Amino acid sequence: MDHPPYRLAQELELLLGDPEDPGGVFSHARCLELDESEEFPADICRALEEWGLQEFYIPVEHGGRLTDYETVMQVMRVVARRDLTVAIGHGKTYLGGVCVWVCGDTGQARRLAADIRAGVPVSLALTERAHGSDLLAGDVLGEPDGSGGWRLTGEKWLINNATRGSVLSVLTRTAADGGPRGFTVLLVDKRTLTAGDDYRCLDKIRTHGIRGADISGIAFDDAPVAADAAVGPEGGGVETVLKALQLTRTMCASLSLGAADHALRIALDFAERRELYGRRLVDLPQARHALACAAADALAGEALATVAARSVHTATDELSVTAAVTKYLVPSGTEAVIGELTRLLGARAFLKDVHARGMFQKVDRDHRIVGLFDGNTLVNLNSLVNQFRSLVRGWQRRTGDTAGARAAFELSGPLPRLDPGRLSLVARRGSGIMATLPESVEALRAEAAGRPELKGALGAAERLLAVTDMVHRTMEEYRTVVSDVPPAAFEAARRYSLCLAGAACLGLWAHNHRAGSAGRTAGLWQDGVWLWPVLDRLLVRLGEPGGGEPDAYPRLLEQLRAAGAAGELFSLLPLRLATAGRDGRPYEHTDTGTPHGTPGHPRGRHAE
């Protein structure tokens, strides 16, 4: 099944060239060199900007190429698969601008779009040294200047691109006593201020992973900020940020998907080549199981992220749930993938210059931060706990935007343009994705009636449906919790997330398995080859006794190995890699006719 977001991602992948070629601008060798020197990957970012990556940070209505978030996710997945430092360092500009896309006025959007298109780095300044993710405790103060503007004072810390960025969206206390209506997002342009007098940049923080990223801070000292810098209404800053984070948390999945892709490919190559006890590692049962489990977890993340990215458009008012689940589950799932593969690689998971240039240890280090920014695990699970009342009621009544969920599942369907006005802090009618679970199980049951090869997947789906009902009964016990959330409520939210991921996987398979059973990834879609092990892994993570079925995995492992041998990305939909397959033959670039140029050259030149 050919799918446009993957087709565009493949264009970028092939234009970037083989990452194993040390002479390439975006090679693994270059990324490791920059990591060792803790240097920002400026040359790589320039090459990506010549291709036009920054245009995907600008909504199409403001002159950019952001038409849908599924496409952005797959494009950023390509970048993250090569190097998370680049993806995080460059992608931060979207995070810096998103508040304007959500609540800004036309003039702000036009000016910001022009800056981003020109390659100006933009940053989001939320956190402070003393308060972390507690946004309501922020001390950076904007005091009225007597002419409608503000004088800005205080320090933001651990900010990506705080030093390199020229424009910052700063969450600012604009009411002395703070509170939910006491903060405003101010779009601060450092180019209009005097360095040393109005502001000073804080030193870059040395980090364990993403060593080259500009993780630093900024201190303002009575800096003048004009009245037209307010993004949205004065006092609406916290709500603006929380709505914007629903979009960025969903897009963070691209970082984890790329990291899982890279780690899985490194480990598979090692298992195919390594010999122990007179046999290749890939032929040993324990190694085969580890690879297959990691592969299933990676596909579970891809399926959930795909549905979540599409639901940005089709079920926007439920994104408070979908984004929280995605931001919690996809990074933690990739951490599990990396952990499983670390045990397979052994010492080579930690060593440099031994296997795959030592890239595995860099992927491991770099990815650990993904689960922390834009809301860590506890923040996202707490967001779900706060919505238990509506989620339980929605499950009991089978309400929620089920039409929007089905549109998110159906990959051949067009996506409507995002209406930011539909973003909501609470999914009042529950989750449409979850509400479709019974109908997806029934659809699988109907398919399995005449196809015994689907019986395993059906059994797992039926067990998932049963445990989902139990999870909602547990959630009902905590539906009135507001503060002092007990550990059991967090555990219920964790289990809810796994059930929603299962519902997303089942919905995606039910709506696309016929179309998916053609093309280069047909082997995954036929006979539920990817669905059964993915559901089984979710049951294992739920602690259900029916999980861990060994018969679910052998055919998935075959597909993983076949993709590696053919130079294809192991994914639900086709994407050819620039890296050669194990037969040693590189894959040639085929012009797709899109108006982009080769990185390092003016846009459009390759099409002339």
Side-chain angles (χ1 to χ4, degrees), residues 219-235:
F220 299 100
D221 185 9
D222 204 34
V225 179
D228 63 0
V231 180
E234 183 174 347

Side-chain angles (χ1 to χ4, degrees), residues 319-577:
L319 202 58
S320 60
V321 173
T322 312
V325 168
T326 303
K327 180 56 174 66
Y328 158 61
L329 211 53
V330 179
S332 64
T334 293
E335 289 172 4
V337 168
I338 293 172
E340 189 78 50
L341 298 177
T342 295
R343 291 184 285 275
L344 178 70
L345 286 163
R348 286 165 178 78
F350 306 96
L351 300 177
K352 301 179 180 179
D353 303 321
V354 175
H355 176 69
R357 303 178 187 268
M359 282 296 293
F360 192 91
Q361 54 84 27
K362 178 171 167 23
V363 174
D364 185 8
R365 285 189 288 106
D366 289 349
H367 183 262
R368 295 186 190 193
I369 197 172
V370 178
L372 301 179
F373 54 54
D374 289 18
N376 60 28
T377 291
L378 291 180
V379 168
N380 285 290
L381 292 179
N382 190 69
S383 175
L384 294 174
V385 172
N386 290 338
Q387 299 181 75
F388 273 4
R389 181 188 294 273
S390 61
L391 293 176
V392 170
R393 185 171 59 245
W395 174 254
Q396 292 170 342
R397 300 175 182 178
R398 297 296 189 264
T399 57
D401 190 354
T402 54
R406 295 184 194 105
F409 298 149
E410 182 57 66
L411 295 180
S412 64
L415 291 173
R417 186 173 294 182
L418 169 65
D419 176 7
R422 290 184 57 201
L423 290 167
S424 173
L425 299 184
V426 177
R428 293 179 174 82
R429 296 185 299 143
S431 167
I433 293 174
M434 192 69 92
T436 63
L437 178 58
E439 68 184 54
S440 295
V441 174
E442 184 55 40
L444 178 57
R445 185 178 294 118
E447 284 285 333
R451 299 178 58 191
E453 61 271 16
L454 291 174
K455 295 295 185 184
L458 176 60
E462 290 173 335
R463 289 194 295 274
L464 178 70
L465 180 58
V467 72
T468 298
D469 199 50
M470 290 189 292
V471 166
H472 281 89
R473 288 200 295 271
T474 302
M475 291 163 58
E476 194 168 12
E477 300 174 22
Y478 304 102
R479 66 187 186 280
T480 60
V481 169
V482 177
S483 59
D484 298 325
V485 179
F490 282 110
E491 173 62 12
R494 184 191 73 86
R495 290 169 63 79
Y496 175 87
S497 298
L498 291 164
C499 293
L500 188 138
C505 291
L506 274 161
L508 193 67
W509 187 88
H511 284 77
N512 300 282
H513 68 93
R514 289 185 176 83
S517 295
R520 303 202 305 270
T521 58
L524 283 171
W525 291 86
Q526 293 166 356
D527 303 337
V529 165
W530 74 264
L531 182 63
W532 185 11
V534 163
L535 294 180
D536 189 71
R537 285 294 295 167
L538 292 172
L539 289 170
V540 169
R541 294 166 73 179
L542 281 161
E544 291 302 300
E549 173 55 58
D551 291 342
Y553 298 92
R555 293 181 66 184
L556 184 69
L557 181 60
E558 291 175 12
Q559 294 300 314
L560 172 65
R561 297 181 67 186
E568 295 274 345
L569 178 66
F570 179 70
S571 68
L572 295 173
L573 298 167
L575 192 152
R576 181 169 295 164
L577 296 172

Side-chain angles (χ1 to χ4, degrees), residues 71-322:
T71 296
V72 176
M73 184 177 71
Q74 292 303 330
V75 168
M76 291 306 298
R77 180 183 181 185
V78 172
V79 181
R81 183 159 56 246
R82 292 179 178 240
D83 188 20
L84 279 169
T85 301
V86 176
I88 292 169
H90 196 279
K92 180 68 176 185
T93 287
Y94 172 75
L95 182 61
V98 68
C99 289
V100 173
W101 313 145
V102 169
C103 287
D105 61 39
T106 302
Q108 288 172 333
R110 183 180 64 253
R111 292 189 296 272
L112 184 62
D115 276 337
I116 292 175
R117 192 176 296 110
V120 174
V122 184
S123 183
L124 177 62
L126 293 184
T127 56
E128 299 178 12
R129 196 184 302 261
H131 307 301
S133 60
D134 186 358
L135 300 183
L136 292 179
D139 288 326
V140 170
L141 182 63
E143 296 180 292
D145 66 358
S147 59
W150 294 269
R151 308 294 295 194
L152 190 60
T153 302
E155 175 188 296
K156 292 291 184 178
W157 185 70
L158 284 186
I159 307 302
N160 191 355
N161 278 349
T163 299
R164 293 184 67 257
S166 296
V167 181
L168 298 93
S169 296
V170 183
L171 183 64
T172 308
R173 182 190 290 261
T174 49
D177 55 354
R181 307 301 300 179
F183 292 81
T184 306
V185 173
L186 300 180
L187 195 62
V188 178
D189 191 337
K190 288 161 57 177
R191 296 168 297 186
T192 66
L193 304 177
T194 303
D197 292 334
D198 298 328
Y199 75 92
R200 59 185 174 85
C201 294
L202 308 181
D203 290 341
K204 168 178 160 46
I205 306 298
R206 299 189 66 187
T207 52
H208 181 60
I210 59 168
R211 291 173 176 172
D214 171 23
I215 308 298
S216 54
I218 187 167
F220 299 100
D221 185 9
D222 204 34
V225 179
D228 63 0
V231 180
E234 183 174 347
V238 172
E239 182 176 351
T240 295
V241 166
L242 292 178
K243 289 179 176 179
L245 287 176
Q246 292 176 18
L247 300 173
T248 64
R249 286 169 179 169
T250 306
M251 289 299 98
C252 280
S254 64
L255 306 176
S256 294
L257 295 182
D261 293 339
H262 196 174
L264 190 56
R265 190 168 181 86
I266 291 171
L268 175 64
D269 183 68
F270 175 72
E272 294 282 8
R273 299 171 187 270
R274 177 70 168 165
E275 289 193 6
L276 285 175
Y277 315 115
R279 301 167 66 186
R280 286 187 304 166
L281 187 60
V282 75
D283 295 324
L284 299 178
Q286 188 171 352
R288 293 174 64 85
H289 185 68
L291 281 170
C293 287
D297 287 345
L299 292 185
E302 181 181 16
L304 172 60
T306 298
V307 172
R310 292 177 63 83
S311 72
V312 167
H313 303 268
T314 66
T316 311
D317 54 354
E318 296 179 0
L319 202 58
S320 60
V321 173
T322 312

